[in-house]
Structures are given as C-alpha cells and as structure tokens.
C-alpha cells in the first residue's frame, strides 16, 4: 500500500525554484530515503509532505489525503531538521505536553523507556547530550502513535557511536510498524537503513531504487589501482580475466572489471615480474553511485 505519493512536485520562492519536478512513492512498512546535495530541494519536499508548505504545482498525498488535512496530523509524526525546546523544560514535561496534542497518544513513560531516556525524565533539556536530544526529538515525533514518521537529518552533529545508536532506533521504529521517510546527506546512513532511495538534485528526482539498485545502475564493477615496479606495455593487462577497461594516469594504473579482479591482476603482473605498488581495491558503493548520478545531471 502506498502511504506517501508525490508526483511532479514544484515549489518556488520568488525567482528561485526550489523544487522543479520531484516524484516518488513510499510503501507501507519501508524506510524510504531522500538524498541530495545541500540546496537540492530535499527539505522543501518533505515540508510539503508534512503540510508545512503548499506546493505550487504537482501533487502530494499522505495516506490518501492532502498533507494539510487536519486528519493527517494525527497519523504523521515529524522530526524537524532543526528544533529546540526551552532550556529548563524537563524531558518528561516535554513528552507529556506533546502527548496532550493527540487523542490517542502513546504512553510517554513507556516511549521514553524504549528510546533509552527512562532515566532522564526529570533532566532539563539544556543538560541533555546531543544523542539524548535526538532521542527526545524522535520520541516527540512518535508520541502521537503515528503510522508514518518523517525524520529530517536527525544524525547531523552526532558522534559516530550516537549515530549508530540512532540508526538502531530507526530500525526499531520500522519493526514496530511505522513507515519511515528519512532525509539524509550521509551515504552510509542511507545505504545501511533504507529499503529504497530517491536521489534529488537541482529540484528534480534523478533516480529511485534500492541502494544496491542505484549502485548497479552506474557501477562499472571493481576498480584496482596500483603503480607498477617496472614499465608495462599499454596493453599488458587487456587480456586478463575479468578486465573491462585499463587506464594510466601519471604512473598510476586503474584496472576496472569484475570477479576476483585483484587476484587476476596480481597474478598477471607476477608473470611479468612486476610488483603492484600501493595496490588499492575499490568496490562500488552508494556514495560513488550518488556522485555519478548527480554528475550526469550537471
């Protein structure tokens, strides 16, 4: 079942076009990611989905409804890119206040316990660590027992351990039946968490696919780079098993291909009495796919 459907979305601010043509759909029960460069139109897109802004063109539907419909607010949880609470407000007070906005809220105490904040109920907001503030932000987005949660850049500024703890929280949220729309600029985060991803650049949808699907779209396979210990003929590795391309730049050879490429190249070089210095094997990943996709659009 489609829970978010965005088609040919457009939004401008005066003479500046923030969103030109964005389309994607989010299915129930998945973690759907949106990635893109700063200024690509990610946050404007999700603000329209959240009902915070109105589109100038195209359509956005959440659970079959216009995002500005009051009925959506009971079913959609939102964690904003930037949010702040009064310094002296206590964790328990904040969650109880937000719970009062809903007809059927989650149990605040149980929610804090699930998110690892059970021991911080009486702690003031200003005394929370960055990771604790993010956990509280997630708790506030979930206190209305939403069917869909929109999480915008929620791990920015966190240390590596706090980021990984937050990733586990997102997976737990999905496992409890909440559909997640995740906006991020961290490629490892998107690759780790998302079932599917929309790549947005210059206000347009560039591609929508699974992380592995995006990699397959642009990947030319494995790349092996090295500097030979002795001169090599330009075609020395052309017939090596699995090799599809060879290039040389300032004494550094780059061999592209598939399979156990590093072993095949090393064996071929050994037969030529050449040692591969500074050997490096590069596997395709989401970051390289992302760079390739947006480069094609530029």
């Amino acid at each position: 079942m489609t829970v978010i459907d965005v088609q040919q979305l457009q939004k401008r601010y005066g003479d500046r076009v923030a969103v030109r043509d964005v389309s994607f759909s989010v299915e129930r029960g998945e973690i759907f990611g949106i990635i893109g460069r700063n200024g690509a139109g990610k946050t404007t897109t999700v603000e329209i989905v959240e009902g915070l802004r109105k589109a100038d063109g195209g359509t956005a539907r959440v659970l079959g409804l216009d995002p500005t419909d009051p009925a959506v607010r009971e079913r959609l949880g939102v964690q904003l890119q930037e949010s702040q609470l009064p310094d002296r407000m206590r964790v328990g007070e904040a969650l109880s206040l937000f719970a009062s906005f809903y007809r059927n809220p989650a149990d605040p105490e149980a929610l804090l316990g699930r998110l690892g904040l059970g021991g911080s109920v009486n702690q003031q907001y200003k005394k929370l660590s960055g990771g604790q503030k993010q956990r509280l932000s997630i708790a506030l987005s979930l206190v209305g027992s939403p069917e869909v949660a929109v999480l915008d850049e929620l791990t920015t500024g966190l240390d590596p351990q706090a980021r990984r703890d937050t990733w586990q929280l997102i997976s737990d949220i999905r496992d409890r039946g909440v559909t997640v729309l995740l906006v991020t600029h961290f490629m490892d985060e998107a690759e780790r968490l998302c079932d599917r991803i929309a790549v947005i650049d210059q206000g347009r949808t560039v591609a929508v696919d699974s992380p592995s699907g995006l990699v397959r779209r642009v990947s030319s396979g494995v790349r092996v780079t090295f500097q030979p210990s002795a001169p090599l003929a330009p075609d020395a590795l052309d017939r090596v098993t699995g090799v599809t391309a060879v290039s040389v730049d300032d004494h550094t050879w780059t061999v592209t291909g598939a399979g156990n490429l590093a072993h095949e190249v090393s064996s071929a070089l050994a037969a030529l009495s050449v040692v591969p210095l500074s050997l490096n094997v590069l596997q395709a990943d989401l970051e390289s796919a992302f760079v390739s996709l947006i480069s094609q659009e530029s």
Side-chain angles (χ1 to χ4, degrees):
M1 175 183 174
T2 300
V3 296
I4 297 176
D5 186 48
V6 173
Q7 297 297 325
Q8 298 177 315
L9 205 63
Q10 300 170 31
K11 180 66 180 178
R12 76 167 55 239
Y13 302 104
D15 295 332
R16 184 175 71 88
V17 178
V19 177
R20 298 175 185 275
D21 184 8
V22 169
S23 299
F24 62 85
S25 61
V26 181
E27 303 303 314
R28 184 176 295 280
E30 72 176 340
I31 299 177
F32 187 94
I34 296 179
I35 61 176
R37 295 181 285 192
N38 290 338
K42 305 187 302 295
T43 295
T44 296
T45 296
V46 296
E47 286 177 345
I48 293 171
V49 170
E50 294 161 352
L52 298 177
R53 299 187 186 277
K54 277 193 169 286
D56 295 325
T59 61
R61 308 289 287 180
V62 178
L63 298 162
L65 302 171
D66 186 292
T68 60
D69 189 320
V72 172
R73 297 172 191 168
E74 288 284 330
R75 304 168 68 185
L76 180 70
V78 175
Q79 180 266 334
L80 299 174
Q81 187 178 49
E82 294 184 15
S83 60
Q84 191 75 19
L85 294 173
D87 283 347
R88 296 190 178 184
M89 178 173 278
R90 301 183 186 278
V91 169
E93 293 173 340
L95 207 58
S96 295
L97 173 64
F98 276 60
S100 70
F101 301 154
Y102 299 94
R103 288 176 292 183
N104 299 299
D107 180 347
E109 186 174 340
L111 185 58
L112 288 175
R114 290 208 311 267
L115 295 176
L117 289 171
S120 304
V121 174
N122 295 315
Q123 196 163 354
Q124 293 181 342
Y125 181 77
K126 67 179 180 179
K127 295 183 179 180
L128 298 178
S129 67
Q132 288 174 319
K133 287 180 179 179
Q134 290 294 53
R135 287 171 182 266
L136 177 57
S137 181
I138 295 171
L140 296 176
S141 73
L142 298 177
V143 73
S145 299
E147 298 174 47
V148 183
V150 180
L151 308 175
D152 190 357
E153 304 282 11
L154 81 167
T155 63
T156 299
L158 298 186
D159 63 67
Q161 185 58 54
R163 285 184 66 214
R164 281 161 177 75
D165 289 345
T166 304
W167 291 353
Q168 185 59 53
L169 291 176
I170 298 171
S171 295
D172 292 345
I173 290 167
R174 190 265 300 278
D175 291 345
R176 293 189 179 95
V178 180
T179 301
V180 177
L181 177 60
L182 175 68
V183 183
T184 182
H185 64 268
F186 294 120
M187 297 300 112
D188 56 342
E189 184 167 283
E191 195 162 22
R192 168 79 173 270
L193 293 174
C194 298
D195 299 297
R196 291 189 302 129
I197 296 170
V199 180
I200 295 179
D201 191 51
Q202 299 180 41
R204 295 185 177 91
T205 302
V206 174
V208 178
D209 209 332
S210 65
S212 60
L214 291 173
V215 172
R216 285 195 299 271
R217 288 190 186 199
V218 300
S219 172
S220 54
V222 182
R223 284 186 296 152
V224 174
T225 64
F226 66 92
Q227 294 179 346
S229 61
L232 282 174
D235 60 350
L237 300 176
D238 287 354
R239 297 181 181 275
V240 173
T241 301
V243 170
T244 57
V246 178
S247 63
V248 182
D249 182 19
D250 193 24
H251 305 297
T252 297
W253 285 58
T254 299
V255 183
T256 302
N260 194 358
L261 191 63
H263 172 73
E264 297 291 347
V265 169
S266 296
S267 297
L269 292 173
L272 297 170
S273 300
V274 174
V275 176
L277 305 176
S278 303
L279 182 69
N280 191 19
V281 181
L282 304 173
Q283 296 283 354
D285 58 10
L286 182 60
E287 182 170 354
S288 60
F290 170 76
V291 171
S292 179
L293 285 166
I294 63 174
S295 295
Q296 294 170 15
E297 294 296 307
S298 299

